[in-house]
Structure formats: C-alpha cells, structure tokens
Amino acid sequence: MDKTYSPQNIEQPLYERWEKAGYFRPSNQGDSYCIMIPPPNVTGSLHMGHAFQHTLMDTLIRYKRMDGFNTLWQVGTDHAGIATQMVVERKLAAQGVNRHSLGREKFIEKIWDWKAESGGTITQQMRRLGDSVDWERERFTMDDGLSKAVQEVFVRLYEDNLIYRGKRLVNWDPKLKTAISDLEVENKESQGSLWHLRYPLADGATTADGKRYLIVATTRPETMLGDAAVAVHPDDARYSSLHGAYIELPLTGRRIPIIVDDYVDQEFGSGCVKITPAHDFNDYDIGKRHDLPLINILSDDAHILSAAEVFDVKGLPRTDVATALPEAFAGLERFAARKAIVAALEAEDLLDKIEAHTNKVPYGDRSGVVIEPFLTDQWYVRVAPLAETATQAVENGDIQFVPKQYENMYFSWMRDIQDWCISRQLWWGHRIPAWYDDSGKVYVGRSEQEVREKHSLAADVALHQDNDVLDTWFSSALWTFSTLGWPDDTEALKTFHPTDVLVTGFDIIFFWVARMIMMTMHFLKDEQGKPQVPFKTVYVTGLIRDEQGNKMSKSKGNVIDPLDMIDGISLDTLLEKRTSNLMQDKLAQQISKRTKAEFPEGISAHGTDALRFTLAALASTGRDINWDMKRLEGYRNFCNKLWNASRYVLMNTEDQDCGLAGGELELSLADQWIIERFNGTVKQFRSALDQYRFDQAAAIAYEFTWNQFCDWYLELTKPVMTQGNAAQQRGTRHTLVHILEQLLRLLHPLLPFITEEIWQRVSKLAGTHADTIMNQPYPQVQSIRFAQAQDDMEWLKQVIVGIRNIRGEMDLSPNKPLPVLIAKADETAKRRLTDNGSFLAALAKLENVSFLSDADEIPASATALVGRMEIHIPMAGLIDKDAELARLGKAIEKAQKELQRMAGKLNNENFVSKAPADVIEKEREKLRDAEETLAQLQEQHARILEL
RNA sequence: GGAUGGUUAGCUCAGUUGGGAGAGCACCGCCCUUACAAGGCGGGGGUCACUGGUUCGAGCCCAGUACCAUCCA
C-alpha cells in the first residue's frame, strides 16, 4: 500500500468497477428495502444539501444491502418546468431569439437539446459521491412511462370529480406569465406607503360627522380602478347611516355600494376598506359573499387595460358594470400607473395623506418579481378529500416523520389546505390532456382519439388541446409509484411499494411529501383495498449553511460544489465559478472578497469518503448544519489513520502465518479485549443507524477505530510481534486481520471507497475474499466470549495512563525506561500485572516492575493511584521534588472537592431519607473511595515534603 | 400576531427514561519511538442564555423573560 492515503487514486476506478459489475441492482433475494431519490432538477447541479441527503440515503442502502435485503435505490431526475424553461429562454435571449418567434415545438426541442447537454452533470456528480443507485432503472419525469402515469392520474382524478377547471384568482407571475401555486410565492416584508384616499359619497349622503366622503386606506392605490365596493364593519357606529349607500368612485365614474362585512377591522385606518375582488385575495372572498362583480383592470403582464373585464363570482361575463377605464392610464405598467393615479387623485384633492407602512409583498420565487393576484382560467385539484386520508396515515403512524416535530408542520398545513392550482402557462411540461371544441366545451381523455370516441364527436368537430402544462410537482407527486411502472401492475411495484424511507428537506414537505402521500394513497391500494402509503418513514434533514450560518445561494456566491470538497479547487477557479454569469459587477466584487477571505489558499482535496463521513457526523436530527471545513479536515485525517493502520496490519500479516491453515492460536489479553470491544461497537453502530442517528454512528466508528483499535490495540500487538511465540503471533495476526476485515465491513456504508480498497487485500488474509465488499454480510452482534478480558484490559489501560501521566507532567523523556514499584496490590492486580508484563513494558516504556509488601518502606517517588493500588516511580535523579508536590497538591485538591460534594449530599437528611437506596449506596461508596484516595495522596505528599 | 426549533468549552456541535458536564477542531508542553507529523504522549479550558418553580437532587421536567432562526398569517 502507498504510504499516504490518496483518495483521488482509488475512488473513481472503484465506482466504475461497481457500476459495470451491476452491484447496484436489487439482488432479488430477501425482504425488500427501497428508497426513492428526491429527483433533482435535470439541468441543475448538486449542491452540498444534495450531497448530504445522498450520503444518508447511500449509507442506509449499503447497510441494508449488506444486511441481506433486496435493496433498490431508485434514481431519476425532474424536468423542473419553470426553472428549466427559464434557463433555455435566457440562453436563447443571448442569441437574440425568443420562444415565441421559435414556436412551441422548436422551443421544446431546444429544451431537450439542453437536457442532453447538461443532464449528465448530476449523474456524474452522483457517481463521484459513490451513490449506489440502480442506474439501469433511471427515470425522468418527462419520459414516456412517467408521462403516461401523469396522464392517467389526471384523467382519473377528473373522472372522480377531483379535478376541475375554473376562473379564479391565482398568484400570477407577470414576468413569466404563468400561474404559480401559493407555495411558490415568497412574502417579503418591505417599507411601503399607505395612501389614504377620499371617496365621495353619492346622492348627497354624509357621514355622521358631516363629511361628504369616506376615507379608505390602501397599499395599492392603482387597483382602485377595479374597486367594486367599499366595506365597513356592521358595528361601526360612524357609518351605520351609510349602509346601503353608494360611492362615486373617482376617475372611473363608477357607482359602487357601501357594504357591511365582519372582515373589516374598525381600528385600521378609517375603518373603511375599498374592495377590489379581482386584485386581492381577501377582497375576492368578500366579493363572493356579496356577489360583487370581479373587475379586472390588468393585462397578463400587469399593464392597465383600456377597458375592464367584468365577471361574476362564477367566472361568467357580467354586463351590468361599465367597463370603461380612463384613457390616461391605459397601457401603463402597474408601478407607473400607481404614480399616475395617485397624482390624478391628488389633482382632484382626493388624496388625504400618505403614511409610511410596513407590509408583506409577494414575490415569485423563480422570477423575483412582485406577484399579482389575477383572474384567470386554471385547473385545480380538489385536495380536501385526498388530504383527509393523507392526514390519517400520519396520525395513525403508518407514516412516521423523523424527527417527530415535523408531523405538526404537516398537520397544520393539511388542516388549512387550499385547492391546488396545477396548470401552468408554460411550454415545458406535461401538456394537459383536455380538449375544447369551438364552443369552449371541455373534454378530458387520454388522447384526442379517446375523447372523440367517448363523446361520439364527429370527425368534422374541431378540437384543440389545452395549451397549458401541469405543475412539475404534479408529476413528482407520483414519483414513488410511477417510477415502478404504474399504471401497469408490475413486479417492481409489488416488490418495492410501499417504499421504506424518504430522505428529504423540510422545505419541500408541502410541495412534495404531502402531495406524494395524497396521490399515492388515492391511487394505490393493497390486497384488502386499503390505501398504500408511499413510504413508511420520512427522514427530514436540515439545510447546509455556510460557515457563518448563511443560507447557500448563487446570489450570495457562497455555494459549495461537493466535488470541490472532494477534488479540491484553486482559489482562481473558485472565484471564476462563483462570479461568472453574474449581472452586477458590484456583487461579483463582494463575492470575490468574501471568497478570498474564506478560502485564501483555495480548497485542498479531501476525497469522497471524508466528505461523506463529515456529512454523516454533522447530521444531528432536524437542525440546520453550519458547514465546517475543520471537521472535513479532521475526517480526512481519520481516513488517513484508517489507511495507515491497515498498512500496519498488512505489513505484519501479509505473507505470514495468520492461522488460516490451522495451527494453534493463542489469543492475548489484548486480542480478547479488542474482539469484545469491536463486538460492542457493532451493537452500538447498528443501533445508531437503525435510529437514523448518523452523527452517533460516525462518532462510534471514529472512537473505536482511532481511540481503541489504533491507539491501544495496534500498540499492544507490537510486543507480541517482536517477542511472542509462534502460537501467540498466529493468534494476534489472526485477530488483527479479522478485526480489521470486519471493521471495514462495518464502516463500508459510510466510507465506501477506502473500505473496498483495503478490504480487497485484507479479506484474502481473512479467508473471506470476494469481488466486492459491497454485498458481503454486515457484521452481527456476537455473544460475549471474553468478559474477563474486558475488565482486565480496561484496568491495565488505567495503569498505563497513570504512568504516562507522571511521565508527561514530570517532563520525563518518552525514551527513558522507568522502574516502577507497586504497593497495595491485591491478588487480582498482581495477576493482571504479572500476566501482562510485556504489554506494560511496551506501552508505558518500563524498565522493570516490582511489588512492595506492606512492610517495605516506600522510597521517595512520584505516585499514581489505580483504585487503591499505588504506582510509584522512584524519584532518584528523575523527579523534581517541587514539581511532584505541585502535582500531588492538584490531585489532593480535586479529591477534596469530590469528598466535600459527597459528604454534603450524604449529610443532607432529605437526601438520605428520600433518595432510592441504590443511589445512596453508590454515593456512600464514592465517599469511601474519595476518602481513601485523599488519605493516600496526603500521606504521599507528607512523605515527599520531608525529603 | 401564531407555531416550531435553538441558546452547553475559543469555534462547530453531542448529551436517549432527572443521580459524577462530553467530542472534533483550536490552544499549551514534550516527542520525527519503523503504520500514520494528515502523527504520538500528556495537559489546560464550561455559573449548561436569564429568572422562578417542582424535586433529596435539574443541562435535562414546568412557568416566565431575553436573544437568534425558520414556518404560517
């Protein structure tokens, strides 16, 4: 083996070999275990959050695969409608082309071209991360099979009256000119104004205090052109005489009623609210209650119309309202219109005042522009009936969230769930399988052919398909079963559905998880007809943030590509990566300044295994993770440690007798101890993984490998290798090889590459060789064989530590062998020391060990205690009196403090009378120990003092 | 305004039925001892945010306060 660990030399070739050999395929043996990957955007690239989730999924899959399950990690990508369409439009714009001049078909071709060009990025990244997904089953939400499933679901939901079309107020993105769902809207607080407008009363009416107008306050004065009423609270005495009166709406000449509604907040502003049902969600609801006209004054790109469009609450045209709008504003963009309208009102002395006001403004999370509540025809899923079943599945534990608190988040959303707007005015996506005849009548079916047959439409009836496509989440909601072949009744579906665990971020619980549960439970039933859940467990991860705790985002320029952690990257390349394609120079400068401060030397290579181990170690449940380069470095060192420990094992075992061919095996105390210690580690490690405590699993692995196996066991094998007889050497070699071989299997799910690389050599010596470690049995917990060895060895370690402690604190050279005197040793201690002299000599670097009887006088010495036993290192010429006194003083102080605490507790009447007997006994024992320890130390202190 | 999570060593974080405060990194001292200097050995360091309560006993349970974060309105 190379002297230094070089992940870049081993990782990629191993992955290629695994993939070629088909190790990622389900074995078709054993119980099934299946994880569905959250499909990433096909034209995107993986960030640290993906690397994190993929690490956890791959760890689980590799663990279960080795543990005998028939595992499938289903892989695939998502077409990401808006995001992808935007990217391609931007690319085309750079060439001076827009999609409309290109036409729908040509444009979609361009998107497929782009997918072909960029779609490999993600799959390549996944291979570098070691993801053991079944590539042969890779799916894409727009491929034929999944498109068929989407169509089938749409048609069946429509037939079940769970999909409908209607003219509703939607969140409209005026830049992308499409509806978006309320989840895609980000409400941001901003400093705006509140305009107080005077609305003249009609027919000479006056307010209680004699005014001829009402004052309404609004954050969006431009929408006044679409006002349909002014509302007051029914109990508001100021306006009770005006119920049923009218307003002369300024600028438009429209006559609108004053209505009465509980919704109005009497305290806010004047207590009068303008109602604009076509441009505000709350007003829309009021409009429905009062049968107000919906007066739309905006075009689809948010410019003022020259004539309003008026509908009733059912979306049918209404003709009793004048549609005329002032010419002066026609064609003005909404924010320009706001200025112009405020100016016009002011000119007519209708502007009472302007107040500063903080309000929430909705922004499209893709386009970044202000979202407009807008009246359009859209398709909706009626979710209430689906939500009920989906809620129950979590309530009754068929689906469990880890950590559990996310269940509340799920419930609260499900309780107030709104119908889901699923149509998008885009070209990239699944086209809605609905056709219209010339009268606008709608027919839903799997094809135009089917529609014609079903409705007996003559060939000369013209039909045209709906232009819109479905929300991307509509297709990903079907992911768990569409990828397994649904609507066909496939073997894969029977084997792997319901799947086992879903690993995903909390940010898409609503977008994706909840919708998957609803759709799956509606369409898939078990043999008894009971709805099937898509997965039994949802493991929710936090976000990976940068070292300052900021969210990683392109615009902040703090995104980390996991491959840069693996391969390393120079500062120049990193700067280039982070600042190219940025619109603003100023931003680029900021980013490059911060990047230079954070990574002055760029990033060095750490390898995939170290990255994965770090991500696992940071995965404490349910909270965000602040990325920490130091942790990554630490775990790369850990890999290096494992590498070098393996080198040591191989150097001492290859081409030597490891007992494979028989021969007497004598196991040393250390051999027996490490066997049990490993056994305990297997138990803990499995239990951690079973509970999704990847952080604990990593800590357990680290502690055993470094602090026990390397620091103690390997050192303990050295005296055997140099001084042991044949049977002893055979026994130790056998143990070395077998513990390492099993340790590699234990660690494989977290560290797939380094373990495979080393295992290929070690397994030969252990007689368990195979083509890959990937499908070898996972270590099982064994019954305990060497109970006494555990106690003996842990005790011996204390002795060694005690001597090292003196050596360290007394500044004695590690090279100088020390003579040791033992006093107050009982029979057990004597046995332990005499049986293991060579271990003691080697690890504590001793010259000799001799026992003192109680009668012997103890020479001047530095002292350590192990239980009651005293370890003395004679001071003659070695040890400084004052230093030893100081050392003892510190120990005495510590013992006194301990003693005081114990005594205080036991002198407390309440404690003695109320605490459980075993606790009291434990405290008494501790008190006795402390007393004896203190006495021994004081005695020693006095002795030294006399010198 | 409502909900949830957080506040533990210089930094990043563990702490699982309430019973002697832990890890990694950083820091200090000694050491290139044939697996590893990406290392070895030893060491220092914490009023567990604050206030009160329950309890013989609270980092942990309860109430409240402050600050931070996220989600919802």
Side-chain angles (χ1 to χ4, degrees):
Chain A
M1 281 172 78
D2 291 343
K3 189 172 172 183
T4 47
Y5 163 61
S6 317
Q8 58 274 23
N9 295 341
I10 62 175
E11 294 181 349
Q12 275 173 286
L14 281 177
Y15 193 91
E16 280 162 28
R17 195 161 68 69
W18 289 335
E19 185 177 349
K20 215 184 226 169
Y23 296 144
F24 304 153
R25 279 197 290 258
S27 64
N28 294 320
Q29 277 165 16
D31 294 339
S32 69
Y33 185 86
C34 179
I35 295 179
M36 290 286 166
I37 201 166
N41 170 357
V42 67
T43 60
S45 62
L46 299 186
H47 51 66
M48 288 296 279
H50 291 111
F52 177 38
Q53 291 174 359
H54 288 203
T55 295
L56 305 187
M57 285 186 265
D58 195 48
T59 299
L60 289 171
I61 280 286
R62 285 179 186 270
Y63 168 44
K64 292 294 178 177
R65 185 185 291 121
M66 291 176 77
D67 218 15
F69 288 81
N70 181 24
T71 48
L72 170 63
W73 185 6
Q74 172 68 47
V75 66
T77 47
D78 184 292
H79 66 280
I82 295 182
T84 305
Q85 177 161 327
M86 276 175 70
V87 169
V88 175
E89 283 194 84
R90 207 180 303 139
K91 283 170 67 80
L92 289 173
Q95 304 160 23
V97 184
N98 76 51
R99 71 178 155 113
H100 298 284
S101 64
L102 209 58
R104 185 165 183 149
E105 264 180 49
K106 280 265 162 40
F107 179 69
I108 290 174
E109 273 174 34
K110 291 278 181 200
I111 299 186
W112 280 105
D113 290 348
W114 167 241
K115 180 207 172 240
E117 190 185 322
S118 76
T121 305
I122 282 189
T123 52
Q124 197 43 42
Q125 283 177 305
M126 288 179 62
R127 286 174 165 93
R128 291 302 311 280
L129 288 168
D131 293 354
S132 60
V133 296
D134 186 359
W135 290 110
E136 292 166 29
R137 299 188 56 92
E138 182 180 358
R139 303 305 295 267
F140 174 51
T141 47
M142 289 278 281
D143 69 26
D144 290 343
L146 270 62
S147 299
K148 186 177 151 197
V150 167
Q151 193 181 62
E152 188 66 25
V153 162
F154 187 96
V155 172
R156 288 200 205 170
L157 286 176
Y158 182 80
E159 286 167 354
D160 293 342
N161 193 28
L162 290 168
I163 279 185
Y164 62 91
R165 185 178 144 87
K167 192 181 278 297
R168 296 290 178 82
L169 212 50
V170 295
N171 295 296
W172 183 262
D173 187 317
K175 183 178 174 196
L176 302 173
K177 293 196 198 175
T178 177
I180 58 178
S181 91
D182 44 2
L183 292 174
E184 290 160 313
V185 177
E186 237 180 297
N187 290 300
K188 293 188 196 162
E189 201 150 274
S190 77
Q191 289 302 322
S193 303
L194 196 60
W195 285 268
H196 294 253
L197 310 180
R198 294 195 189 110
Y199 274 18
L201 290 158
D203 310 322
T206 55
T207 61
D209 54 357
K211 296 217 170 68
R212 304 180 59 93
Y213 57 85
L214 293 180
I215 290 182
V216 296
T218 178
T219 57
R220 299 200 56 197
E222 69 280 11
T223 63
M224 59 83 58
L225 298 180
D227 284 358
V230 168
V232 297
H233 194 276
D235 301 335
D236 196 330
R238 290 173 292 180
Y239 308 113
S240 50
S241 68
L242 294 174
H243 297 176
Y246 283 82
I247 292 285
E248 293 286 353
L249 186 63
L251 307 181
T252 65
R254 188 182 305 140
R255 193 176 148 88
I256 58 174
I258 295 170
I259 60 168
V260 171
D261 198 288
D262 287 341
Y263 161 77
V264 179
D265 178 359
Q266 296 184 54
E267 309 298 318
F268 187 79
S270 61
C272 303
V273 187
K274 66 192 268 304
I275 304 297
T276 322
H279 294 287
D280 182 279
F281 286 100
N282 289 316
D283 293 6
Y284 181 79
D285 288 337
I286 293 177
K288 275 203 290 195
R289 285 203 285 277
H290 296 270
D291 197 29
L292 296 174
L294 313 179
I295 305 168
N296 174 42
I297 59 157
L298 289 177
S299 62
D300 64 2
D301 57 354
H303 288 55
I304 304 287
L305 293 172
S306 52
E309 297 164 345
V310 184
F311 303 91
D312 67 12
V313 292
K314 290 193 177 113
L316 300 171
R318 187 163 156 171
T319 53
D320 60 339
V321 177
T323 60
L325 293 176
E327 265 176 50
F329 311 123
L332 282 183
E333 193 276 334
R334 52 188 165 163
F335 296 110
R338 175 177 298 173
K339 278 190 188 148
I341 286 172
V342 168
L345 290 167
E346 195 169 14
E348 295 189 26
D349 195 27
L350 296 173
L351 181 62
D352 185 63
K353 61 175 173 178
I354 306 174
E355 270 181 326
H357 182 70
T358 308
N359 59 338
K360 289 284 179 91
V361 179
Y363 289 85
D365 65 0
R366 289 293 170 189
S367 66
V369 302
V370 175
I371 292 302
E372 200 61 53
F374 191 61
L375 204 56
T376 53
D377 290 305
Q378 302 290 345
W379 290 91
Y380 293 87
V381 173
R382 205 184 303 280
V383 284
L386 302 175
E388 201 182 328
T389 316
T391 305
Q392 281 164 7
V394 176
E395 277 169 351
N396 67 23
D398 290 346
I399 298 173
Q400 292 187 317
F401 281 72
V402 178
K404 208 158 188 63
Q405 73 248 25
Y406 286 104
E407 290 181 2
N408 291 331
M409 191 168 154
Y410 175 81
F411 289 138
S412 70
W413 189 65
M414 290 303 246
R415 254 200 312 277
D416 300 324
I417 197 162
Q418 305 285 317
D419 282 356
W420 173 17
C421 175
I422 51 172
S423 41
R424 296 289 181 272
Q425 287 63 51
L426 303 174
W427 286 353
W428 176 237
H430 299 102
R431 194 148 170 193
I432 291 174
W435 283 260
Y436 303 89
D437 63 19
D438 286 340
S439 73
K441 188 162 188 272
V442 62
Y443 306 94
V444 168
R446 289 162 187 83
S447 63
E448 184 176 339
Q449 179 74 20
E450 184 187 289
V451 163
R452 283 184 185 279
E453 282 168 18
K454 192 169 168 193
H455 298 277
S456 315
L457 299 177
D460 62 350
V461 175
L463 287 179
H464 67 273
Q465 188 173 0
D466 197 310
N467 278 320
D468 293 346
V469 300
L470 289 164
D471 181 8
T472 310
W473 296 103
F474 189 88
S475 51
S476 45
L478 320 179
W479 187 248
T480 57
F481 54 95
S482 61
T483 50
L484 293 174
W486 191 90
D488 298 333
D489 187 20
T490 63
E491 205 52 44
L493 208 48
K494 274 185 238 160
T495 308
F496 295 111
H497 202 282
T499 69
D500 290 87
V501 55
L502 180 77
V503 176
T504 190
F506 68 90
D507 50 332
I508 55 173
I509 289 180
F510 306 146
F511 276 108
W512 190 46
V513 180
R515 287 166 178 171
M516 252 194 298
I517 297 174
M518 291 194 282
M519 288 297 201
T520 307
M521 295 189 76
H522 186 256
F523 284 100
L524 271 80
K525 315 282 168 168
D526 65 13
E527 294 87 356
Q528 282 79 46
K530 189 186 162 206
Q532 267 195 25
V533 294
F535 29 71
K536 296 155 200 158
T537 303
V538 183
Y539 179 90
V540 182
T541 63
L543 248 50
I544 307 261
R545 297 167 174 274
D546 73 5
E547 308 214 11
Q548 279 74 45
N550 298 309
K551 233 171 169 165
M552 293 191 186
S553 74
K554 275 205 187 95
S555 60
K556 285 202 194 100
N558 58 351
V559 173
I560 297 175
D561 181 340
L563 290 198
D564 293 342
M565 291 289 145
I566 295 171
D567 296 331
I569 186 170
S570 71
L571 178 60
D572 287 345
T573 318
L574 183 61
L575 287 173
E576 164 68 22
K577 216 166 161 171
R578 286 187 166 186
T579 55
S580 62
N581 295 326
L582 278 178
M583 305 296 177
Q584 312 164 36
D585 257 8
K586 205 176 144 198
L587 195 65
Q589 279 168 21
Q590 274 174 14
I591 290 173
S592 95
K593 197 174 152 196
R594 268 205 306 269
T595 303
K596 279 177 192 165
E598 201 177 348
F599 301 108
E601 317 282 328
I603 299 171
S604 62
H606 295 83
T608 299
D609 284 327
L611 175 65
R612 289 172 59 120
F613 202 88
T614 308
L615 291 166
L618 294 173
S620 44
T621 46
R623 56 186 287 174
D624 288 354
I625 293 169
N626 292 348
W627 181 247
D628 184 0
M629 287 301 295
K630 297 287 187 188
R631 293 293 285 267
L632 180 63
E633 278 165 31
Y635 293 125
R636 185 213 23 210
N637 295 354
F638 175 71
C639 292
N640 184 52
K641 189 76 178 172
L642 178 62
W643 182 265
N644 279 294
S646 304
R647 275 182 66 223
Y648 169 82
V649 173
L650 290 170
M651 284 164 64
N652 283 286
T653 53
E654 269 179 331
D655 305 320
Q656 300 187 63
D657 181 2
C658 299
L660 260 193
E664 192 193 344
L665 295 176
E666 189 181 327
L667 297 186
S668 72
L669 176 66
D671 293 330
Q672 297 178 14
W673 165 77
I674 197 71
I675 287 168
E676 291 307 341
R677 196 78 203 219
F678 177 74
N679 196 32
T681 302
V682 171
K683 189 174 177 184
Q684 290 176 33
F685 191 87
R686 292 184 79 117
S687 152
L689 281 189
D690 289 340
Q691 295 168 72
Y692 305 102
R693 289 303 304 264
F694 302 94
D695 58 331
Q696 289 179 352
I700 290 160
Y702 187 100
E703 152 71 18
F704 175 80
T705 306
W706 199 315
N707 301 127
Q708 304 304 330
F709 185 70
C710 293
D711 284 352
W712 286 102
Y713 180 63
L714 295 189
E715 295 305 320
L716 289 162
T717 62
K718 287 175 184 175
V720 180
M721 289 305 151
T722 53
Q723 301 154 36
N725 64 31
Q728 288 168 335
Q729 293 200 348
R730 206 180 287 120
T732 291
R733 286 201 192 98
H734 188 266
T735 311
L736 270 173
V737 159
H738 277 88
I739 293 293
L740 178 59
E741 190 273 333
Q742 292 178 82
L743 176 60
L744 293 169
R745 280 190 273 133
L746 188 77
L747 298 180
H748 177 76
L750 284 175
L751 304 171
F753 294 113
I754 188 174
T755 51
E756 174 78 294
E757 180 74 13
I758 300 170
W759 191 82
Q760 284 305 316
R761 295 181 68 162
V762 171
S763 59
K764 285 180 186 139
L765 304 170
T768 57
H769 188 65
D771 292 333
T772 180
I773 191 176
M774 272 188 59
N775 51 26
Q776 296 307 298
Y778 203 69
Q780 303 271 358
V781 182
Q782 310 290 331
S783 53
I784 292 175
R785 290 158 62 200
F786 305 115
Q788 191 188 304
Q790 289 188 87
D791 296 343
D792 288 355
M793 190 68 228
E794 295 301 339
W795 184 89
L796 220 51
K797 281 162 72 179
Q798 286 182 53
V799 174
I800 292 164
V801 167
I803 296 165
R804 282 177 174 173
N805 190 305
I806 293 172
R807 193 192 285 276
E809 293 193 24
M810 293 291 105
D811 274 351
L812 301 178
S813 160
N815 298 321
K816 177 156 186 63
L818 299 174
V820 164
L821 304 173
I822 302 289
K824 302 201 173 116
D826 61 14
E827 288 310 309
T828 309
K830 277 186 182 151
R831 172 181 62 74
R832 284 166 167 168
L833 291 174
T834 45
D835 286 356
N836 297 288
S838 63
F839 287 151
L840 276 175
L843 272 80
K845 192 94 181 172
L846 298 186
E847 190 176 86
N848 57 57
V849 179
S850 29
F851 292 92
L852 297 174
S853 74
D854 292 348
D856 289 334
E857 185 164 339
I858 301 169
S861 60
T863 307
L865 294 175
V866 174
R868 297 279 62 78
M869 190 185 84
E870 294 174 2
I871 300 166
H872 295 279
I873 295 175
M875 293 177 74
L878 289 176
I879 293 168
D880 177 59
K881 177 179 163 185
D882 292 337
E884 177 62 6
L885 282 174
R887 208 176 70 86
L888 283 169
K890 221 166 54 182
I892 287 168
E893 201 180 322
K894 202 172 151 195
Q896 275 171 334
K897 260 192 205 155
E898 178 81 357
L899 192 88
Q900 266 169 19
R901 261 180 18 120
M902 298 301 138
K905 239 176 172 179
L906 286 163
N907 288 334
N908 181 343
E909 180 80 19
N910 281 323
F911 175 71
V912 183
S913 60
K914 292 187 179 162
D918 58 322
V919 172
I920 295 172
E921 187 45 43
K922 228 169 87 186
E923 296 295 314
R924 290 218 167 99
E925 205 177 306
K926 277 194 279 188
L927 178 67
R928 279 193 298 272
D929 280 351
E931 279 168 350
E932 286 181 52
T933 300
L934 184 60
Q936 279 174 288
L937 289 170
Q938 280 169 335
E939 191 186 331
Q940 179 66 12
H941 189 269
R943 205 157 32 197
I944 304 282
L945 206 56
E946 281 171 20
L947 292 178

